[in-house]
Amino acid sequence: MNNSRTKTTRNIIATIISLLLLTAAFVFLGAMAPSTDSLVGKWEAIDKGYIWEFSKSGDTYIATILYNKEALEADGKTYKKDVHNTDPKLQNRSIQGIIFITGLKYDDGTYVDGKIYSFLDGGFYDCKATVEGDELHLRAYQGIAAFGKTLELVRVK
């Protein structure tokens, strides 16, 4: 009889310890998951050619150009005009500060359904992004993500 109680007590203790360990694992993994707003902030291209700033706009995320060496005139100071824009009314605006990424939505660790505007050709492309610590991986593509280009950026501190 005493041996039976000992086994039952051991089983209960083992179950409680297992539940505590499982709970701790879920808490730890939840703390490691990226925040829905982990995209917000300034990001710089690894090749140092541009700096973007992401912010939240309602339920989606947008990005503006803070610096882009390809967008500068020959003097290295003046920003080019948006001459390739398909809207003639916007072709005279400066590229500096334009919102060029719109509509990114957070979905289970990935930002999806975004649109990126290319001032180089005036086109719009699909985009999605992931944040891993201080690294941002943005995939721009037309229709099929596998045929796109990934841009790598690091968080500006």
Side-chain angles (χ1 to χ4, degrees), residues 52-126:
W52 301 341
E53 185 168 27
F54 284 85
S55 58
K56 193 164 187 177
S57 178
D59 293 336
T60 65
Y61 297 86
I62 61 172
T64 56
I65 295 173
L66 297 182
Y67 173 78
N68 188 316
K69 68 182 179 184
E70 291 181 326
L72 295 175
E73 295 286 357
D75 67 6
K77 297 176 185 174
T78 308
Y79 276 83
K80 295 177 181 177
K81 302 294 181 191
D82 193 8
V83 295
H84 298 292
N85 198 304
T86 57
D87 183 345
K89 295 176 190 167
L90 298 176
Q91 291 176 351
N92 201 33
R93 72 176 176 173
S94 172
I95 291 170
Q96 183 181 28
I98 65 169
I99 296 172
F100 74 105
I101 294 179
T102 59
L104 281 171
K105 298 174 195 155
Y106 184 81
D107 183 24
D108 195 28
T110 302
Y111 298 88
V112 297
D113 298 334
K115 292 289 183 188
I116 185 168
Y117 171 70
S118 170
F119 64 85
L120 297 173
D121 64 10
F124 286 90
Y125 302 91
D126 299 315

Side-chain angles (χ1 to χ4, degrees), residues 3-66:
N3 194 19
S4 175
R5 278 187 186 165
T6 303
K7 283 184 180 180
T8 302
T9 303
R10 284 184 188 159
N11 286 342
I12 291 172
I13 291 172
T15 302
I16 291 171
I17 290 172
S18 295
L19 289 173
L20 288 172
L21 289 172
L22 188 60
T23 301
F26 280 122
V27 168
F28 178 73
L29 290 174
M32 288 183 55
S35 161
T36 58
D37 289 341
S38 62
L39 181 64
V40 173
K42 294 179 183 174
W43 297 88
E44 182 174 11
I46 292 183
D47 69 358
K48 312 260 189 269
Y50 46 88
I51 300 174
W52 301 341
E53 185 168 27
F54 284 85
S55 58
K56 193 164 187 177
S57 178
D59 293 336
T60 65
Y61 297 86
I62 61 172
T64 56
I65 295 173
L66 297 182

